[in-house]
Amino acid sequence: MKKKIIYRYLMLAYYLLCINGGCNNINERVYYDSFTTDISLSGKTLKTDSVMLRYPFRIEHKDSLAIIMDLHHPDFFYHAFTYPRFEPLFSFGKRGQAPEEILSAENFRLTDNGMWGLDANKHLLTKMSVGNIAQSTNEKETPLDKEIIRALDFALYNDSCFVIPDYSGKYRFHIIDRNGNIRSSHGKIPSRKHKKGNIALAQAWRSFIDYNPGNHTLAMVTQLGEVLEIYNLKDSTHIVKIGPHGEPEYNESGGMAIPSGIMGFSDVQVTDKYIYTVFHGRSFKEIAQQRQPVTDGGQYIYVFSLEGDPLYKYTLDHFIYGIDVNERTREIYAVDVNSNQPVVKYKLKH
């Protein structure tokens, strides 16, 4: 108890010092061990019979259109549906090596007039025109700067730039322009165990990201361990939140990171009010010892405030990977890779 009181006074003193001294940045690292509210949720499975999805990884909607990204589909990476009924429309993003085909899909982002998709193997971002009719066309391909090491996620920053995580270990993320060039680089990996950044550390700290331009909030969640980082790209503040499983654990072999701890987060979405994340929390030992059929995904949705306060922990009746949050209708649509009917709808309770 005394330690907690002393810590609070130190943080208050530091905050007051920054106010009086005119600090621009308040970098804060806080450990959390529980959420304000625990809630169990049961979902409604939606029928998508005419589209056989193999490994649905991401889901997002814009107006009356929803897109699901499937990592292992034999022919197409993207599948369009009506929203919110999820009636199949068409598939696109053909798998292949031809000029307008895709070698690997990492993520996509819907815009007012189409979508952007990231192909890590081809090292480029592609803008596609997608409508509610059975067609899609590639409008622009943006090769990424050669200094960017195999980009595995991205977010839209504004009309002319993207945010892409850095995997060299030197920075945390880059701002790149629509020509793929690095405009600026920001942050450091906030590890206490490993002070020197390298590629292995960057691999272990691989993070999924999302950015909300309305509140200037960039959230990064680690695929291993349990770390949430929040950057305000307007005032440059940086908050680090570390959960009970701690920072990513790994062993280094041949300059590569071999995971040795837990599977952490698999998706994040920043809304106007909250930060929603999908959390797994299972050790690799536990995953390896599963009996067939193996269950993949996370059973928890963690909800944080925009300042990183742990607010709501949802325990689900499905194991999921990607989410799409609609705060207006108080609904979350999630994808379950273990089911032939992978789209599950949940009603928010907060």
Side-chain angles (χ1 to χ4, degrees):
M1 181 64 70
K2 289 183 179 179
K3 289 183 179 179
K4 290 184 178 180
I5 293 174
I6 292 172
Y7 175 77
R8 287 171 186 163
Y9 275 114
L10 287 173
M11 289 303 299
L12 176 61
Y14 177 71
Y15 177 70
L16 292 174
L17 178 64
C18 283
I19 292 177
N20 295 328
C23 290
N24 292 323
N25 303 330
I26 300 176
N27 294 323
E28 183 181 357
R29 180 194 302 268
V30 176
Y31 293 84
Y32 65 87
D33 56 11
S34 62
F35 286 77
T36 303
T37 306
D38 288 6
I39 303 171
S40 295
L41 278 187
S42 295
K44 177 183 178 182
T45 301
L46 305 184
K47 293 183 177 181
T48 55
D49 291 327
S50 61
V51 180
M52 185 59 69
L53 301 175
R54 301 291 182 85
Y55 202 91
F57 188 67
R58 287 288 179 261
I59 179 172
E60 186 177 343
H61 90 279
K62 185 79 173 179
D63 299 325
S64 60
L65 178 70
I67 304 292
I68 295 177
M69 188 182 84
D70 187 344
L71 294 182
H72 296 166
H73 193 278
D75 300 314
F76 299 98
F77 282 103
Y78 301 113
H79 307 273
F81 299 83
T82 63
Y83 181 88
R85 298 185 65 178
F86 278 85
E87 297 168 336
L89 292 171
F90 58 94
S91 298
F92 63 103
K94 186 173 178 56
R95 181 187 291 270
Q97 301 185 33
E100 292 197 357
E101 296 177 345
I102 299 173
L103 280 177
S104 69
E106 307 299 334
N107 205 351
F108 70 96
R109 303 289 179 175
L110 288 172
T111 67
D112 291 333
N113 56 1
M115 65 170 264
W116 286 89
L118 172 61
D119 186 335
N121 285 356
K122 285 191 173 183
H123 204 62
L124 57 78
L125 286 161
T126 302
K127 185 178 182 182
M128 306 176 193
S129 176
V130 183
N132 284 325
I133 56 175
Q135 65 177 11
S136 71
T137 56
N138 290 3
E139 292 184 355
K140 179 182 179 181
E141 290 189 344
T142 301
L144 299 178
D145 193 299
K146 292 181 179 179
E147 291 186 20
I148 296 174
I149 299 175
R150 191 173 174 79
L152 296 174
D153 202 357
F154 79 107
L156 302 175
Y157 179 60
N158 55 31
D159 291 339
S160 60
C161 292
F162 306 95
V163 183
I164 285 188
D166 173 65
Y167 290 101
S168 70
K170 296 179 181 179
Y171 306 101
R172 203 66 184 101
F173 61 92
H174 305 290
I175 304 294
I176 69 167
D177 60 28
R178 292 297 167 100
N179 293 319
N181 300 314
I182 296 176
R183 294 276 297 273
S184 59
S185 301
H186 306 267
K188 301 290 184 182
I189 296 173
S191 173
R192 284 188 171 178
K193 297 180 180 179
H194 306 273
K195 299 299 183 181
K196 186 177 180 181
N198 56 25
I199 291 178
L201 180 64
Q203 288 175 341
W205 278 76
R206 176 195 177 176
S207 296
F208 301 108
I209 69 172
D210 192 37
Y211 178 68
N212 187 322
N215 48 39
H216 313 287
T217 301
L218 171 68
M220 308 182 73
V221 292
T222 55
Q223 186 180 27
L224 308 178
E226 190 174 349
V227 183
L228 163 67
E229 293 176 73
I230 304 168
Y231 290 86
N232 186 300
L233 299 190
K234 183 177 182 180
D235 61 20
S236 300
T237 55
H238 177 214
I239 297 171
V240 181
K241 296 288 185 174
I242 303 176
H245 294 91
E247 65 178 75
E249 297 179 10
Y250 70 100
N251 298 310
E252 188 171 341
S253 176
M256 306 293 286
I258 310 300
S260 60
I262 66 149
M263 280 291 291
F265 298 94
S266 65
D267 200 7
V268 57
Q269 184 173 341
V270 182
T271 67
D272 293 338
K273 298 180 180 179
Y274 302 104
I275 298 171
Y276 294 80
T277 67
V278 177
F279 187 69
H280 295 219
R282 293 192 293 168
S283 70
F284 286 97
K285 181 179 179 181
E286 177 187 348
I287 294 171
Q289 291 177 345
Q290 286 188 100
R291 295 181 178 179
Q292 296 293 335
V294 173
T295 300
D296 195 5
Q299 200 176 8
Y300 307 101
I301 292 176
Y302 289 174
V303 184
F304 300 86
S305 72
L306 296 178
E307 294 74 35
D309 299 317
L311 301 177
Y312 306 99
K313 174 185 176 181
Y314 287 106
T315 301
L316 312 178
D317 58 346
H318 289 256
F319 286 79
I320 65 171
Y321 259 90
I323 55 172
D324 179 74
V325 182
N326 189 333
E327 285 185 330
R328 183 182 60 82
T329 61
R330 300 173 57 81
E331 295 173 333
I332 292 181
Y333 289 83
V335 283
D336 176 359
V337 300
N338 308 285
S339 173
N340 290 331
Q341 303 292 337
V343 182
V344 186
K345 181 174 75 172
Y346 290 97
K347 276 287 186 180
L348 290 171
K349 300 296 184 181
H350 66 272

